[in-house]
Amino acid sequence: MLPNGAVVVRYSGLPAIDSVDRMVTEAQVDLEFGSLEGDDPNLTFGGIRGIQAASDGTIYVLDVQAAEVRAYDPDGQYLRTVVRGGEGPGEITEANGIILAGDTLLWLNDHGKWSIIGVDRAGQEVRRFVKPIWSYGYIWDGAFDDRGRYWRHTSHEEGGFTYPPPPGLSSRTARNYYKSYDLSSEAIDSVYLGQSTFRSYTYKDPNGNWQFLPISFEPSNIFVLNPSGGFWRANSASYRIVRTGEGGDTLVVIEAGVPVQRVTDEDRSAYVEGWVEHRPEARRDLEAVAALMADVKPVLAGIFVDDEGVLWVERVVPSDAPAFYDRYSAEGDYLGSVRLAFEPAGGKIWVQHGSIYSWVVDELDVPFVVRAPLRWERR
């Protein structure tokens, strides 16, 4: 326990990512639906950006290419199109995310209208508000807490971007915030979450253009809203996850001993040779970047909270290994681990009502929605 009364939970060892253990379940797909031939347009997906499931098993799929949200029954049979593209009430243009709130309200992030639109399960618009943070990502990462407030992470970089960039290694600092919008009072507020430092490397190519070279294995700060209050925070370099209140006070610390992978000379050489094939003039700069790499690789790939308030901690795994998650209660109690028996196409999963939802693609890059129930075996 910390001096302020915060609980510190330490685990000397967790199951290995390839272990067969009574606390590890392998999430097997029990439902897959989509269409290869396109005979039924309601089963053809162009660009999935969100999947949500209701307590009765109804599955909602947001297709950004079709600008539609479609509903399917628990067997994957098409039921109806809930939301269509357009400029009218309850219609969307470029939505990249969906959240089912209270089993009755579907929130859609439409960056084409710079609005978050709420519709009921019949598709009737009941609420909308202008996004407090004007930004765009592949999949919407906003969230609602149990008090009816909308939250999204944002950052402010000190000094801003300068051009031309300084050659060689440079660093910049950003201040992290979670910005909120209260649905009842319409008040906008923010919570400061500390600073992050980013390193980059720049060189000028033979044509006089400035090129950026990524630095592999860079650690990063990770933040996620805890819907019951406060935030979970981590840094990908170590297995240490902290739950804090909105005022920044530490409430729970989770620490675990997991194997650390060192950055080897082979890793540095592979980086150089992988890039020099396309940028032969940059070998000297690539070797300089390789020397800047960290000594150890990150151990955390990400964190999120499911619909029951359970924290999922994704470990970094080899590129040919399935995704692996450890699960914890809000108090830091270890609840077991999950290994996926499928590869999520967008690297994103949603956990609702005891099942994992995502999508996969076949050899022709055709997307299929999948469901994998969480079944814990007694060994």
Side-chain angles (χ1 to χ4, degrees):
M1 183 173 291
L2 297 179
N4 71 341
V7 177
V8 180
V9 188
R10 294 188 175 93
Y11 297 94
S12 58
L14 293 173
I17 61 172
D18 59 351
S19 66
V20 178
D21 185 278
R22 66 180 183 85
M23 292 301 290
V24 179
T25 185
E26 188 166 76
Q28 300 277 353
V29 171
D30 77 336
L31 174 69
E32 178 178 310
F33 61 91
S35 175
L36 174 62
E37 301 298 334
D39 295 333
D40 184 350
N42 295 312
L43 288 173
T44 302
F45 303 110
I48 297 173
R49 291 297 184 272
I51 303 169
Q52 294 286 278
S55 60
D56 64 1
T58 302
I59 303 168
Y60 298 91
V61 182
L62 168 64
D63 190 324
V64 66
Q65 183 171 306
E68 291 181 347
V69 175
R70 303 176 203 146
Y72 301 84
D73 72 13
D75 296 320
Q77 299 299 310
Y78 171 75
L79 295 174
R80 62 189 180 280
T81 297
V82 180
V83 177
R84 300 181 186 276
E87 297 293 340
E91 297 178 335
I92 56 176
T93 55
E94 298 177 70
N96 71 330
I98 182 174
I99 295 174
L100 177 60
D103 220 25
T104 59
L105 186 62
L106 290 163
W107 288 105
L108 295 142
N109 181 61
D110 192 338
H111 66 88
K113 298 180 180 180
W114 294 112
S115 297
I116 297 174
I117 302 169
V119 303
D120 61 24
R121 291 177 63 173
Q124 297 298 311
E125 181 174 325
V126 296
R127 184 72 185 269
R128 82 163 58 195
F129 59 92
V130 176
K131 298 199 301 182
I133 298 174
W134 285 31
S135 60
Y136 174 70
Y138 181 66
I139 295 178
W140 182 31
D141 60 358
F144 292 87
D145 68 13
D146 295 343
R147 293 172 52 187
R149 294 176 297 175
Y150 169 71
W151 294 84
R152 193 173 188 278
H153 174 258
T154 186
S155 62
H156 173 71
E157 186 173 324
E158 301 292 339
F161 179 76
T162 60
Y163 191 87
L169 177 68
S170 61
S171 63
R172 62 190 194 278
T173 299
R175 296 170 63 85
N176 295 290
Y177 299 88
Y178 250 94
K179 200 169 186 178
S180 68
Y181 172 83
D182 192 303
L183 296 175
S184 299
S185 66
E186 299 185 348
I188 296 176
D189 202 354
S190 61
V191 175
Y192 176 59
L193 296 176
Q195 294 184 340
S196 295
T197 300
F198 305 93
R199 299 193 304 168
S200 61
Y201 191 97
T202 312
Y203 79 100
K204 186 179 287 189
D205 67 20
N207 297 321
N209 299 315
W210 289 101
Q211 303 288 347
F212 291 88
L213 295 174
I215 304 176
S216 295
F217 310 118
E218 282 287 273
S220 61
N221 290 326
I222 307 170
F223 308 96
V224 68
L225 175 73
N226 184 40
S228 63
F231 310 92
W232 286 102
R233 313 183 191 193
N235 184 282
S236 63
S238 65
Y239 202 117
R240 187 176 190 270
I241 306 102
V242 179
R243 181 164 69 87
T244 63
E246 287 186 34
D249 49 317
T250 298
L251 304 175
V252 176
V253 179
I254 302 171
E255 296 179 346
V258 296
V260 175
Q261 301 293 324
R262 301 196 65 81
V263 177
T264 65
D265 291 339
E266 290 75 14
D267 291 323
R268 301 178 197 276
S269 296
Y271 171 87
V272 173
E273 298 306 320
W275 276 94
V276 80
E277 180 180 354
H278 307 286
R279 298 183 181 180
E281 79 284 352
R283 177 175 288 276
R284 181 176 297 179
D285 293 290
L286 289 165
E287 291 173 346
V289 173
L292 293 169
M293 291 179 185
D295 293 330
V296 297
K297 301 177 182 179
V299 297
L300 300 183
I303 57 178
F304 71 91
V305 180
D306 69 17
D307 63 336
E308 295 182 348
V310 173
L311 174 70
W312 289 60
V313 178
E314 183 179 5
R315 295 194 219 171
V316 172
V317 299
S319 59
D320 58 349
F324 192 93
Y325 300 83
D326 301 314
R327 301 164 65 250
Y328 298 92
S329 72
E331 292 71 38
D333 300 317
Y334 173 65
L335 303 176
S337 301
V338 176
R339 181 189 302 113
L340 301 188
F342 61 95
E343 182 178 356
K348 171 79 172 179
I349 65 173
W350 294 266
V351 181
Q352 295 177 306
H353 306 294
S355 290
I356 297 172
Y357 294 86
S358 189
W359 78 95
V360 299
V361 296
D362 64 9
E363 63 277 3
L364 299 176
D365 284 335
V366 176
F368 294 82
V369 174
V370 293
R371 179 186 65 204
L374 294 172
R375 299 189 177 111
W376 298 93
E377 298 180 6
R378 300 294 182 185
R379 295 187 175 93

